[in-house]
Amino acid sequence: MTAFKNLGIADDLLQGIAALGFETPTPVQELVIPTALSTDDDIIALAQTGTGKTAAFGLPLLQRIDPSERGVQALIMCPTRELCVQVANDLVNYSHFAHQYKVVAVYGGAGIEGQIRQIRAGAQIVVATPGRLMDLMTRKAVRLDGVRRVVLDEADEMLNMGFKEAIDFILAAAENRESIWLFSATMPNEVRAIAADYMANPQELSTGKRNQTNENIEHIYYVCRADDRYATLKRVVDANPGIYALIFCRTKNETKEVAEQMIRDGYNSDALHGDLAQSDRDRVMQRFREGHLQLLIATDVAARGLDVSNISHVINYGLPDEVEVYTHRSGRTGRAGRTGVSISIVTPKFEERIRLIERKNKASFTKKTIPTGIEVCEQQLYHIVNNIHNQEVHHAEIEPYMARINEELKDLSKEELIKRFASVEFNRFLAYYRDAPDINVYPRGDKRGARTHNGQPAGQMARLFANIGDMDGVSKKDFIRLLSRTFGVPDRAIGHIDLNRAYMHFDLDAAYVNVVRQGLSEFTINGRRIRVDDASAPKEKRTKEDKFFEKFGKKKKGKKW
Ligand code: AMP
C-alpha cells in the first residue's frame, strides 16, 4: 500500500494529516496527488463525496502556494456555503504544522461586507460559491489575475444548481491560470462541456469504475402500496435499532409531513428544508452532525453540503427523478472507509426506475420483503438485550440502593428477572406490532397476492379451518365482525370464507393468524370450545410467529361468543 510520503507530500503537511488520523491515502488521493504535485496538467477526477477528494486537491494545492506572493493564487469553487466552510477548515487543519496561508471562504446567504474586508486583509486561497464570487468580482473586491490553480469541487452539483454562467464568468477572469482540477461525482454532458471549453488535454483520473456508486454501499429496496409508505419507513427504522439515517423526500411539504409524523410517533428526528431560516438549518445540521438527532428528513437541496461521515443508512422515501440524484443521495453513507446501506421505498410502478439506476450505476439492488411486525420485535429485543449486556454500571453510585432492590426482586428467578428487564422497552414494540399486517406488495400470480373477501389485495394469506358452521347460526358477516371487533383484524386481512354446515374454511392475512387462532380458542360456541387449525399445512408445524407469541403473547380468559 502506498504511503502519503511516497506521493510526494511535504513533511509538515504529512504531520497535519497524521494528526487528523489519515494513515493511508484513499484511491482518489493516490491517483490525483502525484499528478497535481508534479505537473500543470488539467485534471478531471471522478469522485463522490466521502472518498477523500478534499485532501486529494487540498494537499497539492497547499504545497504549491508561493508564500511570498500575497494575492489570490488558488481558487476553489464549491456548490454550497456548508461545503465552502468545510473545505476552508480542512485546508487550515492540513496545514496546522505547515505555513499558515490565508484562506478565505465566501458564499451567499451571509453579509458581503465582512467577506470583502476579509479578502482585503489578504487572501491567498479563496473558497467560494460561484454566485457570491461573481458578485465580489463585479464589485471589484477580488482580483483573479494571479490565480494559478482553479478547483471545481462537485462540478456536477454546481451545474445542477444553475451556476454555469457564474463559472464561465469566473474562468474567463482567471485567465492566467496554469491548471484546472475538476472533481465530479458524475459526468453528465454539462460537465463534459466545461472540460471541452476550458481544459486542454486533461488527465482523466478515475478509480477505474465510471459512474459507479461506492462499493461500500449496499442498495436495498422495498415495494409497498402508496398508502403504506410511511408504515414501511417506520418498519425499516424500527427493524434497524441504532440507525443513524438521512431520509430524503422529494418536496418540502413531504419532508415536513414525514418529519412531523415521525416526531409525533416519538422518533428522535427533525426536518431540513428550504423554508427554514439559515440559522435554523444550521442548528438542525449541527444537532444531526453531533449525533443528537438520529433521523434527519431532508430535501435534496437542503441536504447539500451536509458533511457527516458516519451515516449508517440513507433512505429514499421515494426515488428521485434523476439517476445522478440517487448517486448523490446514496453517497452520503458508506463514507471514509465505512460501510453503508441505501434503502429505497418504492411503489410497484417505480420498480422500473430501480432497473434504470442499476444499469446506469452498475450497482446491484436487492429487493427485500418489508419486515413483519414479528421481525421488528425480534430485532428490537436483541438490541435491548445487547444494550443491557453492554450497559455501563456506576457501581459506587448504585451500591447504596442494592439492598432494597435485591429485597424487592428476591422472589424472581434469574430467568424471570431477565424477561422483565427486557420487557420494559420491548412491550412498547410488541403492543404496536403484535397485530401488524404484511404490507408487502407481491407480484400478480403470487399466492400471497390473493384478494380479500372485499376484493382488496392482501398480504401473505393463510388458509384456516374452524369448527364453526351454519348449524351454529353464524353468518359470514358475524364472523368478520367478530374478528374485527374482538381481535382488531381489518377487513382487508380477511379473505375468502367457505361456510359449511358444521365447519368453515377461511383465508386470513398471515400476520393475524396467531392472534385469531389463540383468541378464538378461548371462546366457546354452543358449549364447544372453538378450534382453529391451519388448513394448508401439517398440524404440528409451528411457525416462527407461533413460537414467538407462545413466549410473549398475552393469555385471555375463556369467553362465550
Ligand atoms: P471528503 O471526500 O474529502 O469529504 O472526505 C470524507 C471524509 O474522509 C472526511 O471526514 C475526511 O476527514 C476523511 N478522510 C479523507 N482522507 C482520508 C484518509 N486518507 N484517511 C482517513 N480519512 C480520510
Side-chain angles (χ1 to χ4, degrees):
M1 206 175 285
T2 321
F4 273 112
K5 206 175 169 51
N6 300 337
L7 300 181
I9 297 181
D11 284 345
D12 46 9
L13 288 173
L14 284 177
Q15 242 182 304
I17 56 172
L20 294 174
F22 296 9
E23 286 171 5
T24 46
T26 65
V28 68
Q29 291 163 358
E30 218 169 301
L31 274 174
V32 170
I33 291 173
T35 310
L37 274 178
S38 60
T39 73
D40 284 334
D41 291 350
D42 289 330
I43 294 174
I44 298 179
L46 199 60
Q48 272 106 38
T49 47
T51 51
K53 64 183 170 55
T54 315
F57 64 74
L59 293 169
L61 192 88
L62 286 164
Q63 197 156 320
R64 299 190 69 179
I65 299 278
D66 177 356
S68 62
E69 171 65 58
R70 294 199 58 240
V72 183
Q73 298 175 52
L75 170 64
I76 302 167
M77 279 187 265
C78 302
T80 63
R81 158 199 167 124
E82 287 78 17
L83 198 58
C84 284
V85 172
Q86 177 77 40
V87 168
N89 281 341
D90 285 354
L91 296 183
V92 172
N93 289 335
Y94 302 154
S95 48
H96 188 74
F97 300 97
H99 187 90
Q100 306 282 295
Y101 295 113
K102 293 198 181 320
V103 183
V104 174
V106 294
Y107 39 77
I112 200 165
E113 296 300 331
Q115 294 178 353
I116 292 174
R117 273 196 299 278
Q118 277 183 288
I119 293 174
R120 295 233 161 101
Q124 289 163 304
I125 303 172
V126 169
V127 190
T129 51
R132 175 52 60 98
L133 184 61
M134 195 163 88
D135 272 1
L136 289 163
M137 288 163 66
T138 45
R139 290 178 186 226
K140 307 245 179 296
V142 62
R143 292 172 59 132
L144 300 183
D145 46 2
V147 166
R148 306 232 176 87
R149 254 156 290 283
V150 177
V151 178
L152 299 172
D153 189 12
E154 302 201 356
D156 50 354
E157 278 291 277
M158 289 198 283
L159 294 169
N160 273 341
M161 291 173 73
F163 283 139
K164 170 83 170 82
E165 198 189 326
I167 292 172
D168 284 337
F169 183 82
I170 293 162
L171 289 180
E175 58 191 349
N176 297 325
R177 63 177 182 267
E178 285 161 5
S179 46
I180 298 178
W181 301 340
L182 179 152
F183 287 75
S184 194
T186 57
M187 267 314 143
N189 290 337
E190 295 78 2
V191 177
R192 289 257 159 238
I194 293 262
D197 289 348
Y198 297 101
M199 297 162 93
N201 291 327
Q203 293 236 21
E204 292 207 25
L205 306 175
S206 101
T207 41
K209 303 137 212 155
R210 309 177 74 83
N211 279 359
Q212 185 164 13
T213 42
N214 185 332
E215 281 176 355
N216 293 340
I217 302 170
E218 185 187 359
H219 301 268
I220 292 174
Y221 72 101
Y222 297 101
V223 183
C224 67
R225 293 187 311 136
D227 291 352
D228 286 328
R229 275 196 312 151
Y230 182 72
T232 305
L233 175 64
K234 264 173 82 89
R235 290 224 190 153
V236 168
V237 168
D238 289 342
N240 287 284
I243 189 171
Y244 177 46
L246 189 51
I247 302 169
F248 283 101
C249 292
R250 289 163 58 94
T251 62
K252 277 185 252 189
N253 279 343
E254 193 175 66
T255 307
K256 288 181 205 169
E257 278 167 23
V258 172
E260 275 166 22
Q261 222 164 340
M262 295 218 86
I263 293 167
R264 214 176 307 129
D265 286 344
Y267 293 92
N268 178 12
S269 52
D270 212 337
L272 185 68
H273 51 75
D275 282 354
L276 297 173
Q278 181 68 48
S279 57
D280 289 331
R281 264 186 278 169
D282 288 347
R283 192 180 42 79
V284 172
M285 284 201 244
Q286 185 169 353
R287 284 174 55 221
F288 185 61
R289 212 177 282 126
E290 291 174 352
H292 300 310
L293 269 184
Q294 189 178 12
L295 306 167
L296 183 62
I297 300 121
T299 57
D300 291 294
V301 176
R304 280 180 181 141
L306 175 74
D307 181 70
V308 180
S309 54
N310 56 342
I311 290 174
S312 67
H313 293 70
V314 162
I315 302 180
N316 298 281
Y317 191 71
L319 286 173
D321 291 333
E322 311 275 330
V323 175
E324 281 82 12
V325 176
Y326 180 86
T327 312
H328 277 284
R329 286 181 177 185
S330 58
R332 298 318 189 92
T333 183
R335 301 180 61 166
R338 295 184 179 83
T339 55
V341 184
S342 174
I343 291 176
S344 302
I345 298 172
V346 299
T347 52
K349 74 172 190 206
F350 284 94
E351 270 193 270
E352 268 302 295
R353 198 174 291 172
I354 295 274
R355 303 282 92 81
L356 183 73
I357 299 173
E358 277 189 322
R359 277 200 303 278
K360 283 211 172 178
N361 278 351
K362 306 211 167 37
S364 74
F365 279 69
T366 312
K367 179 174 177 176
K368 293 207 171 167
T369 48
I370 301 165
T372 62
I374 283 87
E375 282 161 350
V376 170
C377 289
E378 263 182 16
Q379 290 304 323
Q380 288 290 343
L381 186 59
Y382 295 135
H383 182 65
I384 293 163
V385 170
N386 199 36
N387 278 352
I388 294 179
H389 194 263
N390 298 333
Q391 181 61 49
E392 187 190 356
V393 177
H394 297 284
H395 292 279
E397 284 83 352
I398 203 166
E399 199 48 50
Y401 310 104
M402 285 314 295
R404 165 106 185 254
I405 293 173
N406 282 325
E407 179 60 26
E408 296 263 354
L409 302 176
K410 73 170 189 276
D411 57 324
L412 299 176
S413 66
K414 176 181 170 189
E415 198 173 82
E416 195 56 37
L417 257 179
I418 293 175
K419 256 193 211 163
R420 288 183 194 209
F421 273 104
S423 296
V424 174
E425 260 291 292
F426 178 60
N427 286 354
R428 197 162 55 86
F429 285 96
L430 193 58
Y432 186 82
Y433 279 116
R434 167 184 275 132
D435 299 337
D438 182 347
I439 51 176
N440 284 286
V441 176
Y442 296 99
R444 273 173 206 281
D446 189 322
K447 181 172 176 284
R448 295 170 302 185
R451 300 256 145 194
T452 59
H453 72 93
N454 59 7
Q456 293 297 311
Q460 188 169 3
M461 299 300 261
R463 185 90 174 137
L464 298 176
F465 160 92
N467 60 343
I468 317 166
D470 269 342
M471 69 177 198
D472 297 306
V474 172
S475 70
K476 289 185 190 179
K477 220 163 135 194
D478 293 335
F479 185 68
I480 292 167
R481 200 179 305 136
L482 172 78
L483 296 195
S484 129
R485 297 222 175 129
T486 317
F487 308 118
V489 179
D491 248 28
R492 66 178 165 122
I494 306 168
H496 191 68
I497 302 174
D498 287 323
L499 194 61
N500 298 298
R501 216 182 100 68
Y503 67 94
M504 67 193 292
H505 282 117
F506 62 102
D507 290 329
L508 182 69
D509 190 319
Y512 293 96
V513 166
N514 290 295
V515 186
V516 167
R517 200 201 311 232
Q518 279 200 0
L520 279 181
S521 72
E522 285 160 17
F523 281 80
T524 57
I525 190 162
N526 299 328
R528 291 191 328 275
R529 188 164 282 274
I530 298 182
R531 183 167 57 82
V532 178
D533 283 326
D534 194 337
S536 52
K539 248 194 208 159
E540 313 68 50
K541 196 173 167 220
R542 277 148 77 242
T543 60
K544 203 162 142 195
E545 286 88 345
D546 284 334
K547 291 180 198 155
F548 190 81
F549 281 108
E550 273 164 27
K551 238 164 122 186
F552 299 106
K554 273 197 203 141
K555 287 265 174 295
K556 294 198 190 87
K557 297 242 162 64
K559 304 162 215 152
K560 271 193 182 169
W561 182 9

